[in-house]
Amino acid sequence: MVTGTLWILRFLVIITLVLITPFRVNSQCEFRFKRRNKVFDFNLASSVKNFPHGALSEDGFYRVEANSTVLWFQLCDLLIFNHDPPRCVGCQDCGGPSHCGTSCSALLSENVRGYDVCSSLGHPSSSKVDIIDKEDPGKGVIVKMLGASSNLNCSLSVSVICQKNKVDGPLTLTKSGDCDYATEMRHPSGCAVAISGHGSGWGLFSTLLIIILCLFGAYLLGGGLYRYFSLGIRGIEVIPNSDFWVTVPDRIQSCFGSLFQRFSGSSHGQQASYSRVN
C-alpha cells in the first residue's frame, strides 16, 4: 500500500508541473495594448495556423535587397544561416569575419568602394515592440532594433502588418537619416487577440479551482487504475480511500448541523438573558 501511495504522489507531482509550468516564449516578442475597454495581445513567436514559429522565419533569417544594400534580419531572435551566409567585411559586433551574422538580429551589407561592408542594426536584447496605429490597434505592430555601433546609433524598424490568410514580404527597404532603416511584412502574427477589458476572462481563483479539480481527478483516476490492475480490487473499493469518501456527506451534514445548533443556541441564550418586563 505504501508503494501505491508513493506512485500516486509521483503522478500528482508530474501533473502539477505540467499544469502550472508556463510555456517558454520570448517576452521580447510580446506586446499588450489597451484601448476603450479592450486589451489587444500580440505574440510574434506564438504558433498560428500554418506557421508553427509565428512571425519568426523558419529559415533563420529574412532577406531584403534594395539597390546595392542587402538586409538580413530575424524577429526577436539571433540570425541563423544554414545557407546563403553573408559575405562581407566587418561584422565586428555581429560574430566577426568568420561567423558573420551569428550574434545579432539584423545585419546590413552596403557596397563601399567596391567592397561589401557589414554592420549590425540590432540585437534581440534591444528589440522593442509597439503598436503601429493607436487608433487602429488591429493593424499590427512595429519591432524596432537598435545597433551596437560605437560610432552611429543605427536602427531597423520592421512593421508586422496584420494579414490573416498569407505572408507577404519583406519587399521594400527604406533609409532615413544616416543609418535608420525600415521594412515591412504582412503576417497573421501581426493580428491581435482582442479580449474585453472588464475582467470577463478567467481569474486567478478560477484557474486555481481548475487546477485543483484536475489534480483531484488525476488522483482518483491514477489511484483507481493502480488498485484495479496492481492490487486486483474490484467494485466500489477501487476508489482510493473509499471509506473516507463515503463518509464525506455525513461529515458535511454534521458540520452544518453543529454550526446551526451553535448559532441557534447563541440566539436563544441572548433572549434568555433578558428578563420579562411587566
Side-chain angles (χ1 to χ4, degrees), residues 49 63 201 203:
K49 185 179 180 181
R63 186 180 187 275

Side-chain angles (χ1 to χ4, degrees), residues 37-272:
N37 297 323
K38 279 191 176 181
V39 178
F40 298 86
D41 274 331
F42 298 87
N43 192 334
L44 300 180
S46 64
S47 176
V48 295
K49 185 179 180 181
N50 299 326
F51 301 97
H53 302 286
L56 278 68
S57 173
E58 295 184 2
D59 294 330
F61 64 91
Y62 289 100
R63 186 180 187 275
V64 59
E65 185 174 356
N67 297 327
S68 59
T69 302
V70 182
L71 171 70
W72 298 267
F73 71 91
Q74 176 68 296
L75 293 171
C76 311
D77 204 352
L78 293 173
L79 290 164
I80 300 176
F81 292 98
N82 295 319
H83 61 87
D84 193 22
R87 301 185 181 277
C88 46
V89 297
C91 293
Q92 282 81 5
D93 55 351
C94 192
S98 59
H99 300 87
C100 186
T102 59
S103 61
C104 64
S105 55
L107 185 69
L108 185 78
S109 173
E110 293 182 293
N111 190 276
V112 180
R113 298 178 182 178
Y115 294 95
D116 292 330
V117 180
C118 280
S119 57
S120 170
L121 291 183
H123 293 76
S125 59
S126 67
S127 298
K128 295 182 179 180
V129 185
D130 201 356
I131 204 79
I132 292 178
D133 187 355
K134 290 182 170 58
E135 297 299 324
D136 183 15
K139 184 176 181 180
V141 293
I142 183 168
V143 182
K144 186 171 184 178
M145 314 174 196
L146 300 176
S149 175
S150 58
N151 297 325
L152 296 173
N153 294 323
C154 300
S155 67
L156 171 66
S157 298
V158 181
S159 298
V160 184
I161 301 172
C162 173
Q163 183 169 266
K164 296 183 178 180
N165 298 324
K166 62 177 182 176
V167 176
D168 289 326
L171 300 175
T172 61
L173 179 63
T174 59
K175 179 181 179 180
S176 61
D178 293 329
C179 57
D180 294 322
Y181 295 85
T183 186
E184 68 178 36
M185 55 187 294
R186 299 179 183 273
H187 198 283
S189 294
C191 303
V193 177
I195 58 177
S196 174
H198 292 292
S200 59
W202 291 100
L204 178 60
F205 177 77
S206 300
T207 303
L208 290 176
L209 181 60
I210 292 175
I211 292 176
I212 292 173
L213 292 176
C214 290
L215 291 176
F216 181 70
Y219 160 74
L220 292 179
L221 178 61
L225 291 175
Y226 172 78
R227 292 167 67 85
Y228 184 88
F229 290 104
S230 298
L231 303 181
I233 300 175
R234 300 294 186 268
I236 191 69
E237 297 296 330
V238 77
I239 300 176
N241 298 320
S242 58
D243 295 338
F244 170 77
W245 299 116
V246 169
T247 62
V248 167
D250 294 333
R251 292 173 182 266
I252 296 176
Q253 183 178 2
S254 176
C255 179
F256 279 103
S258 62
L259 290 175
F260 178 76
Q261 290 179 359
R262 180 177 301 178
F263 284 107
S264 62
S266 61
S267 61
H268 286 308
Q270 290 176 358
Q271 292 178 1

